[in-house]
Amino acid sequence: MPVLCGLPLAELTQALAPLPRFRAVQIFKWIARGVLSFDLMSDLPLSLREELKGRFTVCSSVVAERHIDNDGTVKLGIDLANSARIEAVLLADAGERRTACLSTQAGCPAGCVFCKTGSLGFMRNLNPAEIVEQFLFLREAAGGSIAGGSIANGSIANIVIMGMGEPLLNLAELRRALAVISDPQGMNFSKRRITLSTCGISEGIIDLADKGPNLCLALSLTTACEEKRKRLMPVTTTQPLARVKEALAYFQCKGGGRITLEAVLLGGINTTSEDAAALAEFARGLDTVVNLIPWNPVQGLVFEGKALKEPSAREVESFTRQLEELGLKVTRRYRKGRGVMGACGQLGQLSPT
Ligand code: SF4
């Protein structure tokens, strides 16, 4: 049966025809409150609820596992209708603020060697309902809207599209999901608080610049030494860095804001002075901030026959200093969620039962 959860209001109205638009608005608001059963939509006549149950389903996926780390990170294992399992993570930021990290694909075709998800291969793109549902499940875990309450996003201050998958390879579906999540009549989550991270799909960056939504953009760069990057991130073979940089410049020309260049630091691999110089060269002419992410361990991942390892504290300090001396703005990401394998690069440990 068709799923209603991921439909923007205009599409929901069409799907519910010949019901009047005000019924679609009522159902849209219930979904925005996290009410995922027609039985609980108390301002709909009972006969209509029964009729709708025969024609539609509200929600397509279910939370199968919930893991809570000592640092407050919550990782959900979510079963999709076709039995694939994905993961979504609620990260505890400073104070009461939380960040919801959403997945856009089951598995990932990009195959970055340092990423657990990349080692799984690609299963399929997620549809808008499956993306919106992750947000609703995480919001419930964060103490946001509960059935029957008002629409509130609780302590979720930010959304990052950095979970499983390459979002720009599923942009059309993601766009529809974000239209639902940011609709002022519904969840009303500000687009300015949403960050999308890509491994560098030039056509997708240009499409995003041309057609929106107007989000914050991050590039998972890792290294700007092209030959090394091809070996670490095979996508570089078809997406040369010069073309990616052109796309980023176009994104900023069209009004996109500061771009985050993310570098996962791999011990002994991408923390050399050549890496620092290449990164500075790549950033030249763009408005950027560099975010360093010491690699989060995943057993079994290797690079050219050797097990990957975390960078030492000294290595991270030295690389940070080199980048700063080259004039770059540098931040470091906290290692949240490691205890539940929910940190950056670790998603994909859970498998369907
Ligand atoms: S880092 Fe991102 S793009 Fe690369 S394999 Fe992992 S999920 Fe895919």
Side-chain angles (χ1 to χ4, degrees):
M1 282 194 285
V3 184
L4 299 186
C5 188
L7 296 182
L9 183 54
E11 290 179 39
L12 182 67
T13 308
Q14 273 179 0
L16 293 170
L19 289 179
R21 187 174 182 276
F22 81 91
R23 290 293 183 208
V25 173
Q26 282 176 310
I27 293 169
F28 191 72
K29 286 181 183 291
W30 278 118
I31 294 171
R33 287 185 194 109
V35 173
L36 301 177
S37 158
F38 290 119
D39 287 328
L40 299 173
M41 299 183 181
S42 55
D43 57 1
L44 302 182
L46 271 175
S47 57
L48 177 58
R49 289 186 233 169
E50 288 307 314
E51 180 199 323
L52 290 170
K53 277 198 266 178
R55 289 175 61 198
F56 304 101
T57 175
V58 183
C59 172
S60 61
S61 49
V62 291
V63 176
E65 287 188 43
R66 175 190 291 239
H67 301 269
I68 303 174
D69 198 357
N70 291 337
D71 65 15
T73 303
V74 181
K75 179 165 88 166
L76 302 180
I78 299 171
D79 281 350
L80 307 181
N82 71 346
S83 84
R85 181 166 291 178
I86 55 154
E87 295 171 19
V89 181
L90 185 66
L91 297 150
D93 300 338
E96 290 298 297
R97 290 180 315 143
R98 309 284 188 95
T99 293
C101 177
L102 308 184
S103 295
T104 51
Q105 297 180 315
C108 182
C112 306
V113 302
F114 47 84
C115 171
K116 176 66 187 174
T117 310
S119 74
L120 301 176
F122 176 61
M123 282 159 259
R124 69 168 173 86
N125 284 327
L126 302 193
N127 61 42
E130 291 162 340
I131 299 170
V132 172
E133 287 162 20
Q134 289 174 64
F135 177 69
L136 293 175
F137 295 148
L138 291 174
R139 194 182 66 176
E140 193 181 8
S145 284
I146 49 164
S150 57
I151 301 170
N153 292 319
S155 55
I156 298 188
N158 298 291
I159 293 176
V160 292
I161 318 290
M162 297 185 186
M164 301 171 81
E166 165 49 56
L168 293 183
L169 294 178
N170 191 20
L171 183 54
E173 302 293 271
L174 175 62
R175 213 174 240 140
R176 291 171 69 215
L178 293 179
V180 174
I181 290 172
S182 61
D183 191 316
Q185 292 196 71
M187 294 164 218
N188 196 21
F189 200 95
S190 167
K191 289 184 194 127
R192 284 178 296 117
R193 296 196 155 273
I194 303 176
T195 301
L196 179 153
S197 174
T198 176
C199 63
I201 308 296
S202 323
E203 305 78 19
I205 296 169
I206 290 166
D207 190 2
L208 194 62
D210 284 339
K211 298 191 201 138
N214 190 6
L215 311 169
C216 303
L217 185 63
L219 172 70
S220 176
L221 182 60
T222 301
T223 178
C225 294
E226 187 116 13
E227 288 310 310
K228 192 188 293 183
R229 193 174 191 266
K230 280 182 190 164
R231 291 180 277 134
L232 289 166
M233 301 178 71
V235 68
T236 316
T237 312
T238 51
Q239 297 284 343
L241 283 175
R243 214 161 87 209
V244 175
K245 182 168 174 176
E246 263 175 43
L248 295 180
Y250 182 75
F251 176 84
Q252 290 197 318
C253 233
K254 297 281 279 189
R258 174 171 289 171
I259 292 162
T260 303
L261 301 178
E262 297 166 326
V264 173
L265 298 183
L266 307 159
I269 294 176
N270 62 343
T271 54
T272 66
S273 52
E274 290 83 53
D275 290 288
L279 211 160
E281 184 53 37
F282 183 86
R284 193 202 301 262
L286 298 172
D287 178 11
T288 62
V289 59
V290 177
N291 187 211
L292 299 180
I293 309 163
W295 181 66
N296 294 300
V298 177
Q299 266 201 343
L301 295 189
V302 294
F303 178 58
E304 299 182 335
K306 284 198 194 140
L308 290 172
K309 60 177 196 234
E310 296 177 65
S312 66
R314 233 170 116 180
E315 212 175 341
V316 176
E317 281 308 322
S318 156
F319 193 62
T320 305
R321 208 174 331 107
Q322 290 180 68
L323 294 177
E324 285 172 344
E325 282 167 4
L326 288 162
L328 294 166
K329 294 182 195 76
V330 183
T331 60
R332 272 196 237 158
R333 191 180 299 173
Y334 298 109
R335 302 172 170 195
K336 295 277 183 182
R338 278 183 171 203
V340 291
M341 296 302 280
C344 177
Q346 295 184 315
L347 299 189
Q349 307 283 314
L350 303 176
S351 52
T353 46

